Amino acid sequence: YSNSTYIMDNDTDSVTIIDNAKPKIIKSVQVGESPNNIDIDPRSRMLFVTSDDDILHPMVVVNLNQTSNTIKVGNKSPSGVAVDPSTHLIYVANFDSDNITVLNGSGTNIYKFQDISLNNQTVSAFKSLVNKSLIEGQPATKKSNSFKPSGLIVNPNTHMIYVANFNDNSISVIDGSNNRFKIISNILVGSNPTKVALDINNNTLYVVNQGS
């Protein structure tokens, strides 16, 4: 469905599709238990939903009669999903696994590509944001070695992945170009970051800090 809005409903374990031109509800599709995050690949027309039942549900947007596949990701608690439409790679943040699962969605079958561990980092220094937290005025301090990745987003132009680490007060920057998947930097932000948004034109990242 083109020019549509997709809304997750935790009470009914479904995604509602709204036609923006009308506007009206087109249909609702059952997904996993308590859907928590959603993203779409506009080129392959696939919709991806993470759920609290530890399952990622990809769906073909042009035919949403049923989910096209079900993929187990992480050990438990997938908490965020982001798609790079240029490479058709899907990134899933696993809150309780401290890692990012990479899925390849370039073909008809979606399969696991690899996991990126946030604990086995080669980055020795934690950086601070040039533009400090707008609320606190200063970045929070690094908390622990348990990252608890929550939200994440991908820049389709640079293939950089930005991961909000809830328990670490940081953003992990992962270089996804040429399938490197190397963590090149960690940025200290506010307390308990949960979501990230990216202005691709200005290459500016915005972070929601729950604890700030």
Side-chain angles (χ1 to χ4, degrees):
Y1 301 99
S2 60
N3 192 23
S4 300
T5 299
Y6 302 87
I7 302 174
M8 296 177 297
D9 190 330
N10 280 289
D11 292 334
T12 60
D13 298 334
S14 66
V15 173
T16 299
I17 307 166
I18 297 177
D19 184 346
N20 295 330
K22 302 295 183 185
K24 69 174 184 180
I25 295 176
I26 300 175
K27 67 188 305 183
S28 292
V29 180
Q30 291 300 124
V31 291
E33 177 184 350
S34 301
N36 53 35
N37 271 283
I38 189 170
D39 202 5
I40 190 170
D41 186 334
R43 296 185 179 179
S44 66
R45 304 186 67 78
M46 294 286 290
L47 185 71
F48 303 92
V49 183
T50 53
S51 304
D52 286 341
D53 60 357
D54 303 345
I55 293 174
L56 174 70
H57 287 268
M59 295 178 290
V60 179
V61 177
V62 294
N63 181 10
L64 284 172
N65 291 325
Q66 59 183 4
T67 58
S68 61
N69 201 357
T70 299
I71 301 174
K72 186 78 174 180
V73 292
N75 293 329
K76 51 185 175 178
S77 301
S79 57
V81 59
V83 180
D84 187 334
S86 300
T87 61
H88 303 294
L89 293 178
I90 306 114
Y91 300 92
V92 183
N94 301 305
F95 191 81
D96 289 330
S97 304
D98 273 351
N99 67 359
I100 307 299
T101 295
V102 186
L103 304 170
N104 190 324
S106 60
T108 55
N109 295 319
I110 297 171
Y111 62 90
K112 185 175 178 178
F113 193 73
Q114 73 174 78
D115 286 329
I116 306 170
S117 174
L118 295 175
N119 281 314
N120 299 327
Q121 301 192 58
T122 57
V123 180
S124 58
F126 276 71
K127 299 180 180 179
S128 297
L129 284 172
V130 174
N131 296 319
K132 304 284 197 294
S133 169
L134 296 178
I135 297 177
E136 295 183 321
Q138 295 291 331
T141 57
K142 177 175 165 56
K143 291 176 64 176
S144 70
N145 289 324
S146 178
F147 290 83
K148 302 296 183 185
S150 182
L152 75 168
I153 200 165
V154 185
N155 187 329
N157 297 329
T158 63
H159 309 295
M160 292 292 180
I161 305 109
Y162 302 91
V163 184
N165 299 311
F166 180 85
N167 204 47
D168 195 60
N169 298 334
S170 68
I171 300 293
S172 289
V173 183
I174 303 172
D175 183 359
S177 61
N178 300 315
N179 296 337
R180 293 182 62 198
F181 306 128
K182 179 181 180 181
I183 300 174
I184 60 173
S185 179
N186 275 290
I187 304 171
L188 290 178
V189 290
S191 299
N192 304 125
T194 57
K195 304 293 181 183
V196 285
L198 181 66
D199 184 337
I200 297 176
N201 294 328
N202 297 316
N203 199 28
T204 302
L205 190 71
Y206 300 88
V207 183
V208 176
N209 301 303
Q210 182 175 305
S212 300

